[in-house]
Amino acid sequence: MNRDNTHRNMLAWSVAAALASLPTAASAQEAPASGERQATTLDALIVTAQKREEALQDVPITMSVLPEQLLQDSGARDIKEMQSLVSGLSVSSTSSESQTTVRIRGVGTVGDNPGLESSVGVVIDGVYRPRNGVGFGDLGPVERIEVLKGPQGTVFGKNTSAGLINITTRSPGFSQTAEAEVTVGNYGAIGVAAGYNDALSDTVAFSLHGVKRVRDGFMDVETGAGPRSSHEDADQNFHSLRGQLLFEPGEHLRIRLIADYANREEECCAAVTTTRGPTAAIVNSLVGGNAVIPVPDPERRLAYGNDSTRQSIEDRGVSAQVDWDTPWLGGATLTSITALRDWHNIGGQDLDFTTAPVWTRFYGEGENDVGFETFSQELRLTGSGERLDWMVGAFHSNEELVRNDSITMGAAYEPYLSIALLSNIAASFPAGLVDTSNPFLFLSQAAGRPYGTTFTGPGSHDHFEQKARSNALFTNNVWHATDALDITFGARYTAERKQLRSVLSNPNGGIGCLNGLTNPAQVGGALGARGVPGAYIPALVPTVIGYMCLPWSNVQHHGRDTWQERDEKEWSGALRASYRWNERFMTYASAARGYKAGGFNLDRVQSANGLSSGAAGITPVDDTSFPGEFVDSYEIGAKSTLAGGNLLLNAALFHQTFTDFQLNSFIGTSYVVRSIPELSSRGVDLDVMWQTPVDGLSLQGGATWLDAEFGDDALPDADLRLLPGATPGFMPRWQANASLTYEWDFSDRLMGRAYLGARHTADHNTGSDLDPQKFQEAYTLVDARLVLGARNRRWAVELWGRNLTDETYSQVGFDAPIQTGSWNAFLGAPRTYGVTFRFMY
């Protein structure tokens, strides 16, 4: 992938300009005060939900705020772990931790197709991350996290049609500090983190933070004859490093430079069997034992797989943010954020989730990997007048995505598919009519090939290159109509251009499919030789050829070199009115239109008629595009500040309607993106933060009630027949969370802190196609932490546990690939516990 030298030079210039101004002498600053608790009120919480600093209770947006101490107490070090603190927020992962999906109010993007962009945006230090999984990892020292619900595209840009996670890491300060953490836990968990902050001069400060975490796997794996040697899965082995430089040459200029790097080398992610279908007996016969668990029991956390699930993920980037209080327009602030990011994932996968060598994606660069290179530039000018707070800005991003995808058919593929197919055919006729002796020979007979030479080796080797360019102009303005009434108007105009080149090949020649297509009489003869009545053979021949020409073995894809492009120009925006009745109570109403760009399926797509919307078939689809997704959202809400600023109680009613909702569903052979005409949802969000009258005791919690349904429009896929009029997957009726923190002093030198948190999720379906086998019953997760340390925060010992009741639950359920009647699931984390030693200077 070629880098854009212009983008490199712009970023390098920003960095060099700041570094050139550094003084040569460094001066240490005094350590901070003793760390005694200071009296503060919750109404002092500051957020940047509209890209300006405002009090939380003045912002007419439904949102939750997670401060640093709450994140530390809950043990939330990444996006996935913080879902226990926010109602209506769900985070799940599937075949790789890099395939992390964030949902707000049940809406998110499902699937392993990197061409499908996020419905929930992730922004870290002002830099938009192109996919949720790209932003997944240890966040290090965080100042706060804001979770904004509903469309946020006006201010934060593309792909925030369902909401936004806005993460602000801790900026360098001008005091010398050092901190370290050592964690030991079950499953062999060991974590080490350290950070250092100092001043180089009166105007320059820097910080460094590094982390290394390892852990054994959560899952046991039955590997059979291999070649997989690891008997554990879902382990952890990653490290990261972040460096920051803060330059404040004067009171009107601030420059913040950030560089970060993270690496993960892990085995992830195997899945457990939840429903064992009739094909299990076939794969058992091919290995001479149990290739699938005899009795499904997710609580055993025992997966079956003979091939590696190794993952190697690298994420790196640099950014420069410049804030200049200009002499223009009454001291308006000009902000520039320039960023360059590079993310690469190499991954292997046992595609059949059994110990039989059926089919696999082998680990290897150029074989199965995906990478992003993203350059982004944002400029905005923000100012305030007597009655108007205004902002105008421009945004540009350029993304280059490369995906290599290879599927290899193992020695068990041909006999497995032969036996399964012939068994299905025989079941359609009276018992004994169809000859099922030596069923493993059926497909070789249909292809006219020697057994074992028809479907084997590298079936597909595909290369995708996508370029995506986005340009936008935006504005967000608050008119203080009266001392009590504020009117907020925001608008964004976005121009998107995407280009995709797909180069597809079948290294093994796809000879089985080729023979079926060129000699259907041979297929018919094989059916007749098995005793299938002649009247039924013409109808069965296309069915057999369809199985001979599944996407990875379809010779019609071999040598295809296609080019696609699409342009979108769309408006999005928001109109909000808020009225402050008094210092304690504010109400608001809003209407917003969100937009998420369309895209392409980065996969082999085939149908009966060569169209993406067509029924199942074997004709290659040249146009794999899908349109943009839109949402119209309406809210009314109230924010109350009680108990002298120590109790924040917020509530909102919402109704949102999605059109052309991008649903990515796994149908047992591939992911298919369908634009669902309509998805509507309505509900209630509640959020509370309370510093109680009891000294040191605080409460945080929330609840989301959700009522959602698809429209009644009929869909082209039989696999999606359950959707019209039904509640979508991943949308529980209730989600609620609550946490209690109590801090007290043992003596003049010692303090204690106790944290207890719980999250309840009502029953829901964990699949896109709503198969009842993917149903997940309601469950509750409980976390706790007990801290003993110095009152001056110099040291602390923390005992902690997550999912203390050891709940077993499915994150995502899916059809077992090419195993009709079987279903699998990716599980959430089990009970974990340990001790953390924390030091600060």
Side-chain angles (χ1 to χ4, degrees):
M1 190 186 306
N2 294 324
R3 297 179 184 270
D4 191 319
N5 289 330
T6 302
H7 296 159
R8 272 187 168 184
N9 293 339
M10 289 178 65
L11 189 61
W13 182 88
S14 300
V15 175
L19 292 177
S21 304
L22 294 179
T24 56
S27 59
Q29 302 293 315
E30 293 295 325
S34 63
E36 297 283 347
R37 295 198 305 271
Q38 297 181 1
T40 59
T41 55
L42 294 174
D43 58 350
L45 282 173
I46 299 298
V47 297
T48 53
Q50 300 187 101
K51 291 194 175 177
R52 63 168 73 235
E53 292 190 347
E54 301 171 281
L56 168 65
Q57 296 301 85
D58 289 337
V59 180
I61 295 174
T62 305
M63 61 186 298
S64 298
V65 180
L66 308 178
E68 182 178 15
Q69 186 62 61
L70 179 61
L71 291 165
Q72 182 175 304
D73 287 338
S74 68
R77 291 187 292 259
D78 57 42
I79 295 172
K80 193 172 184 179
E81 292 175 337
M82 79 182 204
Q83 64 182 314
S84 61
L85 299 171
V86 181
S87 67
L89 173 69
S90 300
V91 187
S92 61
S93 53
T94 53
S95 59
S96 167
E97 290 289 17
S98 68
Q99 301 292 349
T100 298
T101 298
V102 180
R103 300 178 185 87
I104 291 179
R105 294 172 175 168
V107 178
T109 300
V110 183
D112 295 351
N113 182 351
L116 195 65
E117 299 181 348
S118 310
S119 297
V120 176
V122 175
V123 173
I124 302 178
D125 292 323
V127 178
Y128 170 78
R129 302 301 177 94
R131 304 293 187 275
N132 293 162
V134 174
F136 176 76
D138 194 298
L139 298 172
V142 170
E143 181 178 314
R144 69 180 178 278
I145 297 177
E146 303 165 12
V147 180
L148 284 59
K149 302 178 181 180
Q152 304 298 326
T154 304
V155 174
F156 287 93
K158 57 182 295 179
N159 304 330
T160 57
S161 55
L164 175 83
I165 298 177
N166 185 28
I167 300 169
T168 303
T169 66
R170 193 193 304 160
S171 180
F174 287 88
S175 298
Q176 184 185 49
T177 61
E179 56 189 323
E181 168 205 318
V182 178
T183 294
V184 179
N186 62 333
Y187 292 100
I190 299 176
V192 178
Y196 181 74
N197 181 98
D198 207 347
L200 297 174
S201 72
D202 291 339
T203 60
V204 182
F206 76 95
S207 66
L208 292 171
H209 184 268
V211 61
K212 171 70 174 180
R213 301 193 190 278
V214 297
R215 187 199 64 222
D216 298 335
F218 288 153
M219 303 279 292
D220 294 323
V221 182
E222 175 58 56
T223 63
R228 178 175 182 145
S229 59
S230 171
H231 292 274
E232 291 185 350
D233 197 87
D235 63 346
Q236 189 177 79
N237 180 19
F238 76 86
H239 62 270
S240 64
L241 180 66
R242 178 186 290 127
Q244 300 192 49
L245 184 67
L246 178 64
F247 180 40
E248 295 182 345
E251 61 177 331
H252 300 298
L253 181 62
R254 186 176 190 268
I255 301 171
R256 186 182 182 188
L257 308 178
I258 304 175
D260 64 89
Y261 172 82
N263 174 267
R264 306 177 75 103
E265 292 280 352
E266 300 169 347
E267 291 275 357
C268 192
C269 299
V272 300
T273 298
T274 54
T275 301
R276 189 179 190 270
T279 57
I282 301 175
V283 291
N284 283 353
S285 68
L286 296 175
V287 301
N290 287 320
V292 182
I293 192 169
V295 179
D297 185 4
E299 292 190 1
R300 289 183 63 186
R301 295 186 172 272
L302 177 61
Y304 278 63
N306 65 301
D307 284 308
S308 172
T309 56
R310 181 183 174 190
Q311 307 286 322
S312 177
I313 305 167
E314 284 191 331
D315 183 18
R316 69 189 78 193
V318 289
S319 66
Q321 176 170 340
V322 180
D323 295 289
W324 176 34
D325 296 333
T326 73
W328 314 322
L329 303 173
T333 300
L334 178 64
T335 298
S336 168
I337 302 177
T338 309
L340 183 64
R341 300 209 60 84
D342 187 352
W343 182 87
H344 189 215
N345 175 29
I346 308 172
Q349 187 181 8
D350 187 327
L351 290 170
D352 53 90
F353 297 91
T354 75
T355 61
V358 182
W359 58 324
T360 188
R361 282 189 170 100
F362 285 126
Y363 176 92
E365 187 168 5
E367 294 290 324
N368 286 290
D369 64 335
V370 59
F372 293 90
E373 288 186 0
T374 308
F375 170 83
S376 62
Q377 174 65 59
E378 179 174 329
L379 287 171
R380 64 178 185 265
L381 189 64
T382 306
S384 298
E386 183 177 352
R387 286 290 182 182
L388 183 67
D389 298 332
W390 54 270
M391 179 177 67
V392 294
F395 176 81
H396 166 78
S397 72
N398 191 66
E399 173 189 284
E400 294 186 5
L401 185 164
V402 172
R403 183 191 189 199
N404 294 294
D405 182 61
S406 301
I407 292 178
T408 298
M409 294 176 286
Y413 182 89
E414 182 177 321
Y416 168 77
L417 198 60
S418 294
I419 298 170
L421 180 56
L422 185 60
S423 298
N424 284 341
I425 293 172
S428 301
F429 297 95
L433 180 62
V434 176
D435 179 11
T436 57
S437 62
N438 296 321
F440 55 87
L441 296 175
F442 177 61
L443 283 183
S444 63
Q445 294 165 347
R449 294 276 301 176
Y451 170 71
T453 67
T454 309
F455 299 94
T456 187
S460 62
H461 190 178
D462 302 336
H463 179 78
F464 303 91
E465 293 183 8
Q466 177 177 285
K467 295 183 178 181
R469 178 165 295 183
S470 178
N471 294 297
L473 298 174
F474 61 91
T475 183
N476 195 69
N477 311 284
V478 182
W479 174 41
H480 305 289
T482 69
D483 291 342
L485 177 64
D486 288 347
I487 305 295
T488 302
F489 169 74
R492 191 180 191 99
Y493 177 74
T494 303
E496 294 263 353
R497 181 174 180 80
K498 289 184 178 177
Q499 300 170 312
L500 173 65
R501 184 188 181 194
S502 306
V503 181
L504 314 181
S505 66
N506 291 66
N508 66 359
I511 194 166
C513 173
L514 176 64
N515 285 11
L517 291 171
T518 57
N519 193 2
Q522 175 74 32
V523 179
L527 288 167
R530 290 283 180 173
V532 175
Y536 295 94
I537 289 177
L540 283 173
V541 166
T543 299
V544 175
I545 293 176
Y547 279 92
M548 298 169 76
C549 298
L550 291 171
W552 50 90
S553 59
N554 190 344
V555 71
Q556 297 177 96
H557 290 289
H558 182 59
R560 294 178 64 221
D561 189 335
T562 64
W563 176 265
Q564 302 179 69
E565 58 183 71
R566 60 181 293 115
D567 292 281
E568 298 178 10
K569 296 178 175 62
E570 301 292 347
W571 284 94
S572 56
L575 179 64
R576 300 184 176 94
S578 61
Y579 191 84
R580 180 158 292 285
W581 301 86
N582 51 49
E583 292 183 356
R584 299 179 301 279
F585 191 64
M586 183 265 279
T587 58
Y588 63 93
S590 69
R593 181 167 176 79
Y595 157 69
K596 185 175 86 164
F600 306 104
N601 249 323
L602 272 63
D603 205 345
R604 291 192 174 194
V605 181
Q606 56 191 51
S607 70
N609 58 4
L611 301 176
S612 278
S613 58
I618 63 172
T619 303
V621 172
D622 289 328
D623 181 5
T624 67
S625 64
F626 47 87
E629 175 183 291
F630 296 88
V631 58
D632 295 317
S633 176
Y634 304 93
E635 294 188 13
I636 57 173
K639 294 193 172 186
S640 56
T641 305
L642 308 172
N646 287 305
L647 173 59
L648 308 184
L649 182 60
N650 302 331
L653 299 172
F654 64 87
H655 185 283
Q656 48 194 22
T657 301
F658 290 82
T659 55
D660 287 330
F661 178 71
Q662 295 169 4
L663 183 75
N664 197 29
S665 183
F666 182 68
I667 59 173
T669 58
S670 60
Y671 282 95
V672 177
V673 179
R674 289 288 183 256
S675 293
I676 308 301
E678 183 176 300
L679 165 62
S680 62
S681 66
R682 62 183 183 273
V684 180
D685 272 314
L686 301 174
D687 196 67
V688 61
M689 300 180 74
W690 185 23
Q691 287 186 167
T692 72
V694 178
D695 186 29
L697 179 63
S698 61
L699 173 71
Q700 181 266 347
T704 297
W705 177 82
L706 182 65
D707 181 23
E709 64 179 10
F710 287 116
D712 293 326
D713 305 76
L715 301 172
D717 286 312
D719 295 280
L720 303 181
R721 66 189 181 281
L722 299 177
L723 269 62
T727 298
F730 308 102
M731 291 193 178
R733 183 61 59 95
W734 277 102
Q735 282 186 320
N737 69 282
S739 61
L740 190 70
T741 304
Y742 179 53
E743 185 170 324
W744 70 99
D745 296 331
F746 278 119
S747 66
D748 292 341
R749 296 186 177 183
L750 295 178
M751 55 78 67
R753 188 168 64 251
Y755 168 87
L756 180 65
R759 173 186 175 89
H760 176 77
T761 301
D763 50 27
H764 61 285
N765 196 290
T766 64
S768 300
D769 56 8
L770 302 183
D771 285 344
Q773 292 82 1
K774 301 171 185 177
F775 183 80
Q776 169 62 53
E777 295 182 350
Y779 61 92
T780 301
L781 305 179
V782 179
D783 305 330
R785 184 174 297 255
L786 184 62
V787 181
L788 173 66
R791 289 184 62 186
N792 62 7
R793 302 302 199 264
R794 294 297 191 194
W795 62 269
V797 179
E798 306 176 358
L799 301 176
W800 55 267
R802 296 180 64 86
N803 188 9
L804 287 175
T805 58
D806 202 20
E807 290 283 344
T808 300
Y809 61 98
S810 296
Q811 298 183 82
V812 178
F814 62 99
D815 302 68
I818 58 173
Q819 298 170 67
T820 303
S822 293
W823 283 266
N824 294 345
F826 295 104
L827 300 181
R831 174 170 53 218
T832 55
Y833 53 86
V835 59
T836 295
F837 303 92
R838 203 178 300 276
F839 309 94
M840 180 175 290
Y841 168 74

